[in-house]
């Protein structure tokens, strides 16, 4: 496990890696394919002052958490993740109607809650209820959000709103930056607290990545910068294959949450090994699916839940 100080150092390296408005000339991104808008109501672009306030609040929360006694763990700890599929049936966007899937089993000690209803700029339609449920169960909470490639409408809306240059790749980074801001606002509105935000990078049916890996990587770089500017620590959820398919050899070097699919806890634990490294980061969780639920298990190197979760 990477200690908090090293996590902050890694975050600084990510900021440097994703560039800024004064970046030198960059390679051209592929033309953005035409597609329907991913949201019916255009969200408000990120306010720099609001992001600065969020960063201050996150820093204060991190300082408060650091002063609390740290519970040490000596063996793998089981948890779960939930999102729009667990909402009551019939909610959400047409492409992602909610399914009423079962909530975590009583042995879960933590839950990672999804912020999106599939693609970017679409909020989990029952996020507030899921946060309230986690608080009632006194679970430790974290959050994840799916990253997605923008359609032309979204690129036009947000491509010039952000800290990056107005080049093709810069505009895509700005869209990622605004996806992050949208998700942070969703978290705030739902009362969800977490020191960590996991960026979910995988194919999104009906909203898939483009064929240009460099362009796709620009969106993820923008997301990373947006969360860091809001005071969040970040990690990546994916598999080595899905990551390469989406963003090629992009390496952020941040912590990793590794999926094992429809397998078992023992198989999920194998994902903690170096052979399953996604983008140069340390393994924190393995995930597996069974009985219509997503289960997670901490990797052997994790000695505390504190750096990764808010405890209700």
């Amino acid at each position: 496990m990477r200690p908090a100080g090293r996590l902050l150092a890694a975050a600084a390296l990510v900021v440097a890696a994703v560039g800024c408005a004064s970046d030198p000339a960059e390679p051209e991104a592929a033309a953005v394919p035409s597609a329907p808008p991913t949201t019916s109501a255009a969200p408000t672009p990120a306010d720099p002052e609001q992001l600065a306030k969020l960063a201050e609040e996150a820093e204060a929360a991190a300082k408060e958490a650091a002063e609390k006694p740290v519970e040490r763990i000596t063996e793998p700890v089981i948890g779960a993740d939930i999102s729009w599929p667990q909402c009551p049936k019939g909610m959400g966007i047409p492409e992602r109607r909610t399914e009423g899937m079962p909530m975590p089993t009583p042995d879960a000690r933590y839950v990672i809650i999804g912020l999106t209803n599939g693609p970017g700029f679409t909020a989990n339609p029952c996020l507030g209820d899921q946060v309230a449920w986690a608080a009632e169960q006194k679970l430790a909470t974290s959050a994840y959000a799916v990253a997605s490639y923008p359609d032309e409408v979204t690129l036009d809306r947000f491509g010039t709103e952000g800290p990056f240059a107005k080049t093709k790749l810069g505009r895509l980074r700005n869209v990622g930056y605004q996806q992050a801001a949208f998700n942070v606002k969703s978290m705030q509105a739902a009362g969800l607290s977490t020191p960590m935000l996991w960026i979910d990078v995988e194919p999104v049916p009906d909203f898939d990545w483009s064929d240009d890996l460099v362009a796709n990587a620009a969106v993820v770089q923008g997301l990373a910068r947006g969360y860091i500017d809001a005071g969040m620590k970040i990690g990546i959820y994916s598999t080595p294959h899905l990551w390469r398919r989406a963003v090629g050899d992009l390496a952020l070097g941040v912590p990793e949450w590794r999926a094992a699919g429809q397998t078992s806890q023992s198989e999920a634990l194998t994902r903690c090994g170096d052979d399953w490294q996604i983008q140069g980061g340390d393994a924190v969780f393995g995930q597996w699916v069974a009985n219509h639920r997503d289960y997670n298990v901490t990797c052997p190197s994790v000695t505390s839940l504190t750096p990764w979760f808010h405890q209700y």
Side-chain angles (χ1 to χ4, degrees), residues 1-249:
M1 179 186 66
R2 192 179 267 125
R6 291 180 61 195
L7 276 169
L8 293 174
L13 290 174
V14 172
V15 172
V18 299
C20 62
S22 60
D23 283 347
E26 42 196 351
E28 293 293 300
V32 180
S34 178
T38 59
T39 181
S40 57
T44 304
D47 179 352
E49 291 186 3
Q50 183 185 36
L51 284 177
K53 182 180 179 182
L54 288 170
E56 289 178 2
E57 291 173 351
E59 183 177 358
K63 182 178 179 181
E64 180 182 354
E67 294 172 351
K68 294 180 179 179
V70 176
E71 179 187 2
R72 297 295 177 184
I73 57 178
T74 57
E75 57 185 21
V77 180
I78 302 299
D81 57 276
I82 57 175
S83 189
W84 61 269
Q86 285 73 34
C87 295
K89 286 185 178 180
M91 304 172 73
I93 60 174
E95 298 89 345
R96 294 289 183 281
R97 290 300 185 205
T98 55
E99 302 171 0
M101 299 293 281
M103 295 293 277
T105 54
D107 60 342
R109 286 190 51 192
Y110 55 84
V111 63
I112 308 172
I113 304 176
L115 305 178
T116 56
N117 186 198
F121 300 110
T122 61
N124 174 346
C126 69
L127 179 59
D129 289 339
Q130 290 181 348
V131 173
W133 175 86
E136 182 180 335
Q137 301 298 316
K138 300 193 182 306
L139 293 172
T141 57
S142 186
Y144 78 93
V146 174
S148 64
Y149 197 80
D151 55 60
E152 288 184 351
V153 174
T154 305
L155 185 63
D156 288 344
R157 175 79 175 99
F158 294 113
T160 60
E161 299 285 350
F164 298 99
K166 308 310 182 279
T167 60
K168 287 184 178 180
L169 289 184
R171 293 174 72 226
L172 287 165
R173 291 183 180 121
N174 283 331
V175 171
Y177 192 88
Q178 297 299 336
Q179 278 190 40
F182 179 91
N183 293 331
V184 170
K185 288 179 182 178
S186 295
M187 268 181 34
Q188 248 193 333
L192 176 57
S193 296
T194 174
M196 192 79 187
L197 199 297
W198 297 93
I199 303 172
D200 183 338
V201 177
E202 59 181 303
V204 184
D206 299 314
F207 304 94
D208 209 353
W209 294 98
S210 77
D211 294 330
D212 186 327
L213 302 185
V214 174
N216 298 343
V219 176
V220 175
Q221 288 171 320
L223 276 156
R225 172 74 179 272
Y227 290 129
I228 291 169
D229 281 2
M232 310 289 296
K233 295 180 291 189
I234 60 169
I236 294 296
Y237 168 89
S238 194
T239 72
H241 170 72
L242 296 179
W243 179 263
R244 288 193 298 270
R245 174 180 164 184
V247 297
D249 60 359

Side-chain angles (χ1 to χ4, degrees), residues 238 256-260 271-273 276-278 281-283 285-287:
S238 194
E256 298 182 357
W257 173 19
R258 302 173 182 175
R271 298 303 193 266
C272 298
W276 293 95
Q277 191 173 64
I278 298 168
D282 296 336
F285 304 107
Q287 180 208 57

